[in-house]
Amino acid sequence: MDRFGIVDDETITEGKCTDIYFDRTMSALMQDGKNPVVTAEITASSLPGEWGVFCGLNDVMTLLAGRNVSASTLPEGSIFYPGEPVIRIQGPYLEFCLLETALLGFICHASGIATAAAQIKAAAGGRQILSFGSRRQHPAISRMIERAAWIGGADAVSNTCAPEGIPVAGTIPHALIMCYGNPEEAWASFDRTAPPDVPRVYLCDTYCDEKREVLAAARAGATAVRLDTPRSRRGDMQAILEEVRWELDVHGFENVGIFLSGGLTVDDVRAYRDMVEAFGVGGAIANAPVIDFSLDIVEIEGTPVSKRGKKSGVKDIYAGPGIRVVRPAVLTAPDGTVPLLEPHIDGGASLKECDMNAARARVLASIASFSASEK
Ligand code: PCP
């Protein structure tokens, strides 16, 4: 542990960040010379919404690499439904017994964030979503948060530790305005000092009414105005947005967009999307409920087994036009379907890269198909 209470990579990789009962399981099996070859599946029985976005596979692959196991998984960024196996691991049980805690933690957390980001992106109807929520979680996991938000469909993220390749974007904090004592000087300073390609989005709610400050910001050259109206002042946010849009338009600033932030939920994004060009969303993405994945042994030495409440035997998800079903892998695939689990690790060797941009493209394609089927 270091001084910020972080478990380091090596401890996780060595299986030392685990639940104590796995330590005891290891001891019992080793002392009795038992190490059966098993197949385990990772499945979520329920989800926060209708569907989830599978995310965190990069860390799973890192953890399993070099061990005597094989794994087939959904590609990262795949949509999944309750009861569908997202990962299948095969190998001697002692190879991954101690890793279950970390394996589940990786995908429970990342998939929860990616799912929330995707739900918000779907609700935004084409408007931009910026991930602003790394400050809501421990900084040690900010890279994971921003990666999952990006895969889920966020258009940019605010944390400077985001993985390379993800656009990093932000506006102006209230602190800057307060340091100057008035917005005009702060906006001017930002305009002088920010790189030219940074959009001039001026924060407009620090001291005065939104209507007054947005006009001042527009006159000062804002490309967009950010409203971060405190909860205590909101009353009717819809009416505030309509009024702000009206005043900008009537004063000749039709091209100045509105950027909304501050405690936004998926319902807020859906409600305000027709008046807002971009949303900054923090807690609703970064604090998303985790997905309750569990890992279960479904086969031991080739024999189907399961605990009560679970289905035994190796399964796959079969999908084709108008059909998606979980079936025993020993049965032939339903006509017109293909199995969705793909080999990712073979005897410890990685077969594929986890490409976060390909994962994000999968999510965006799924969102587009959901929205097309709603029309
Ligand atoms: C931050 C920022 C966004 C917030 C975070 C997004 O707010 O202004 O509005 O996170 P949320 O969706 O969880 O609210 P502040 O802490 O008010 O920071 P600042 O005053 O610097 O804008």
Side-chain angles (χ1 to χ4, degrees), residues 37-358:
V37 172
V38 307
T39 302
E41 291 174 346
I42 297 181
T43 309
S45 302
S46 61
L47 294 172
E50 201 183 320
W51 45 263
V53 171
F54 177 53
C55 191
L57 181 58
N58 57 328
D59 290 332
V60 169
M61 296 208 32
T62 301
L63 190 58
L64 293 181
R67 298 174 191 273
N68 182 22
V69 296
S70 297
S72 292
T73 85
L74 283 178
E76 201 173 29
S78 297
I79 297 293
F80 67 94
Y81 296 90
E84 293 184 346
V86 297
I87 299 180
R88 177 200 302 147
I89 303 171
Q90 293 171 307
Y93 182 61
L94 295 184
E95 287 289 321
F96 63 94
C97 167
L98 288 176
L99 305 181
E100 177 171 335
T101 306
L103 280 173
L104 292 177
F106 286 144
I107 61 168
C108 287
H109 205 167
S111 298
I113 291 168
T115 299
Q119 287 167 345
I120 289 168
K121 183 65 184 167
R127 303 307 200 187
Q128 298 259 301
I129 297 294
L130 275 70
S131 165
F132 273 7
S134 64
R135 65 179 62 192
R136 306 286 181 231
Q137 295 279 346
H138 195 296
I141 59 168
S142 53
R143 185 168 295 161
M144 180 282 286
I145 290 170
E146 301 296 42
R147 180 182 185 275
W150 171 249
I151 287 175
D155 297 282
V157 304
S158 64
N159 195 291
T160 53
C161 285
E164 203 181 328
I166 297 179
V168 177
T171 62
I172 299 173
H174 292 95
L176 183 71
I177 311 265
M178 295 173 79
C179 286
Y180 284 90
N182 68 78
E184 285 83 358
E185 276 186 68
W187 297 332
S189 169
F190 173 65
D191 188 37
R192 273 196 313 278
T193 55
D197 59 329
V198 172
R200 271 39 188 176
V201 182
Y202 293 170
L203 178 61
C204 282
D205 63 1
T206 307
Y207 293 124
C208 297
D209 185 80
E210 287 79 357
K211 182 155 70 175
R212 181 193 171 283
E213 282 203 7
V214 298
L215 289 176
R219 288 179 183 123
T223 54
V225 290
R226 174 159 83 100
L227 305 186
D228 194 65
T229 309
R231 206 38 74 186
S232 62
R233 298 289 191 282
R234 277 196 188 184
D236 185 340
M237 197 65 212
Q238 174 90 16
I240 294 174
L241 286 166
E242 283 174 11
E243 196 178 322
V244 163
R245 184 68 267 158
W246 180 280
E247 294 304 324
L248 285 169
D249 290 348
V250 86
H251 286 90
F253 299 112
E254 298 101 308
N255 293 333
V256 174
I258 299 176
F259 185 116
L260 189 65
S261 63
L264 297 176
T265 64
V266 65
D267 291 336
D268 293 331
V269 168
R270 193 175 291 108
Y272 305 140
R273 67 186 182 191
D274 291 339
M275 287 173 293
V276 170
E277 272 63 43
F279 296 92
V281 182
I285 293 177
N287 302 350
V290 299
I291 306 286
D292 288 342
F293 284 113
S294 57
L295 182 150
D296 294 285
I297 293 175
V298 296
E299 191 177 273
I300 296 186
E301 302 289 359
T303 302
V305 294
S306 64
K307 69 178 186 184
R308 294 199 305 164
K310 299 281 177 169
K311 296 190 178 93
S312 65
V314 178
K315 303 162 202 74
D316 212 318
I317 310 164
Y318 295 92
I323 178 171
R324 182 165 174 131
V325 64
V326 176
R327 298 242 296 166
V330 290
L331 303 183
T332 50
D335 283 349
T337 68
V338 292
L340 299 188
L341 296 186
E342 297 178 0
H344 274 72
I345 294 181
D346 182 18
S350 294
L351 302 175
K352 295 180 192 226
E353 293 282 309
C354 275
D355 177 342
M356 65 179 184
N357 295 322

